[in-house]
Every structure is written in C-alpha cells, then in structure tokens.
Amino acid sequence: MKLTIVGCSGSFPGPQSPASCYLLTAEWEGRTWRVLLDLGNGSLGALQRYTDLREIDAIFLSHLHPDHCMDLCGLHVAVRWDPAGWELPRIPVWGPAATADRMASAYGLDPDPGMHEDFDFRSWSDRTAVSVGPFTVTPFHVLHTEEEAYALRVEAPGTDDRGARVLTYSGDTDACDGVVDAARDADIFLCEAAFHEGRDDAITGVHLTGRRAGEIATRAAVKRLLLTHLPVWNDANVSVGEARQSYDGQLAVAVAGVSYQV
C-alpha cells in the first residue's frame, strides 16, 4: 500500500500543511482502492490534489477533535450539492459512537437525518477489525483526554513474499498499552509527537513527546518511525532528537505531500 501525507500539522492547520489526513491506496482485484485516515480541518482541499473525492472508498476517524474530523463537513457539501449529482453509494465512515451526531451538530443539522444520507456511519469496537477492499483496519483504544480515541492498525497484502504490510497510525494519544499493541511489528508507525520534553511535562493523558514516541516504537519493534502531528510551534529537530534517545531504527518526520511505499 501507498501512504500519502495529505495533512500532518498538529492541532490546527499550519502554513505548510493542513491538519491530520492520510491517504492510503492499494491495487487489488483490478482497481485502485482509496481510504482515508482522518479528515482534519484544511485537508479536504489538499486531498483533491491526490484523488477525486468520488473515489474515496472509506474514511476511518481516530477521534472527534476538529483537527482530525472537521472536513467531513466540507465533504458533506461536496456530496450533497454537486450540480452533476452524486450517484454513488454512501461513503462508509468508521469512528467513535458519537460521530454522526457530532458532525450534524458541527454543521447545524438536526441529527435526523443529519449527514446519514451521504455517509454510512459505523462505530468502532475496540480491537475488532473491519475490512474495505484490501485493507483490514483494527482500532485500539488509546489515552487522549476524555475523548473516545483509537490508534488504527492497517494491514494490506504485500507485493512480494513478505506477506501483509502493516501501517499503524497512533491518532492522538499519550503512552498506553493500546498504542503499543497497535504498533506491534509495524512496517511504518505513523506516530504523533505533539509535545516537547521539559515544556509540556505537566500535561498528562493527551499527547506524546518524541522520546515517548520512540519508546513505544522500540517496545513494539517497528521497522520505521514517522513522527507526525507536530504543531507549528514545535521544532521538528527537537522532536527527532528526543525520539532518537529511545529509538535506533529508521526515523523521519512526516511532511505534507510526501508519499511512502509500505
């Protein structure tokens, strides 16, 4: 599968990137399948550089903070008001139990019908896998404020004898067993590192630092660590330096517009 970084700015869009959105594509049974991990604010515009919105097969939301889901409102407009019509099945959207009502509220809609006519909302169940085309996605409950939040482990067939490839996306989380289990032996661990050591130590149960992201990557024996969700006030070099203290494998920082073959 191919990972394209559509947006990776932490907490709100920055001058170089929208908020969180990651496009996964894979060839399977004669066509290209396209799914999204999160659709944060500012990402819908950038997403159209890489795919037609009509080609989205599913959307997987890690949690319901605006920087991870709010552009679902814009996609609702694209589906509902396209003058050419949108004669396609409803787009499946997996997320926390409150997803449909939260999106309706954000757009000022009555929950019934809300956005149900455009999206097929489905709720995550911890560690219960779902499948879309070649992708198998398993949510792992993680620690992030009081929100229902998940890390997402995505598996897809490989193109050689190595078998299935694994990408794990941390979503937003502090250190916990769920994110370690989700990342176990992943080929790429796309992991948030929104906090800095010594600056954000008093804030618990919200985000990881680079060091804690590296510790999780080491515990999970991941092959490559890709730091993401860095707010605009973070120094990426500091985040990388922190991660290098606790992880000695392949390490980089996510950059909008860059793609990786998993």
Side-chain angles (χ1 to χ4, degrees):
M1 59 181 149
K2 179 181 177 182
L3 163 68
T4 299
I5 311 297
V6 178
C8 55
S9 183
S11 300
F12 57 91
Q16 306 300 325
S17 173
S20 297
C21 181
Y22 309 93
L23 172 65
L24 295 179
T25 58
E27 302 298 323
W28 191 66
E29 293 189 343
R31 76 170 182 92
T32 303
W33 291 75
R34 298 170 175 85
V35 301
L36 301 178
L37 307 180
D38 283 343
L39 190 59
N41 46 339
S43 64
L44 188 65
L47 175 63
Q48 293 169 80
R49 300 172 189 163
Y50 311 108
T51 187
D52 188 313
L53 299 181
R54 293 170 176 268
E55 295 178 335
I56 299 170
D57 290 297
I59 300 170
F60 303 105
L61 300 179
S62 63
H63 66 293
L64 298 180
H65 283 157
D67 58 320
H68 293 262
C69 69
M70 196 50 63
D71 270 21
L72 204 64
C73 290
L75 185 57
H76 156 72
V77 174
V79 173
R80 174 64 33 189
W81 299 109
D82 186 343
W86 192 285
E87 303 300 329
L88 295 169
R90 291 182 301 159
I91 301 171
V93 177
W94 273 269
T99 300
D101 287 352
R102 186 78 63 88
M103 291 299 98
S105 176
Y107 204 75
L109 300 174
D110 190 297
D112 184 13
M115 298 181 185
H116 287 277
E117 294 175 340
D118 307 313
F119 304 124
D120 180 6
F121 291 104
R122 308 178 188 187
S123 298
W124 291 125
S125 179
D126 187 30
R127 303 189 184 223
T128 300
V130 301
S131 294
V132 173
F135 301 103
T136 299
V137 183
T138 306
F140 289 75
H141 190 267
V142 293
L143 176 63
H144 181 58
T145 66
E146 299 300 318
E147 284 284 337
E148 181 185 352
Y150 297 91
L152 304 177
R153 181 182 178 90
V154 184
E155 300 177 61
T159 56
D160 55 31
D161 294 336
R162 278 183 51 205
R165 298 294 197 270
V166 177
L167 177 141
T168 295
Y169 170 46
S170 69
D172 282 2
T173 184
D174 202 344
C176 62
D177 289 341
V179 69
V180 177
D181 292 345
R184 190 78 62 192
D185 299 317
D187 294 285
I188 290 182
F189 181 30
L190 182 63
C191 185
E192 72 117 293
F195 282 175
H196 276 172
E197 296 286 323
R199 184 191 70 190
D200 306 305
D201 296 351
I203 308 171
T204 60
V206 182
H207 289 298
L208 296 167
T209 63
R211 179 185 61 79
R212 294 204 296 272
E215 289 173 348
I216 291 166
T218 296
R219 287 179 60 192
V222 306
K223 298 177 178 64
R224 174 185 283 185
L225 172 59
L226 192 58
L227 300 178
T228 192
H229 199 271
L230 276 60
V232 296
W233 49 68
N234 273 25
D235 182 336
N237 292 319
V238 171
S239 299
V240 169
E242 291 179 358
R244 188 51 79 197
Q245 297 171 19
S246 52
Y247 177 71
D248 61 5
Q250 296 183 55
L251 173 63
V253 173
V255 175
V258 175
S259 296
Y260 297 85
Q261 200 67 38
V262 183

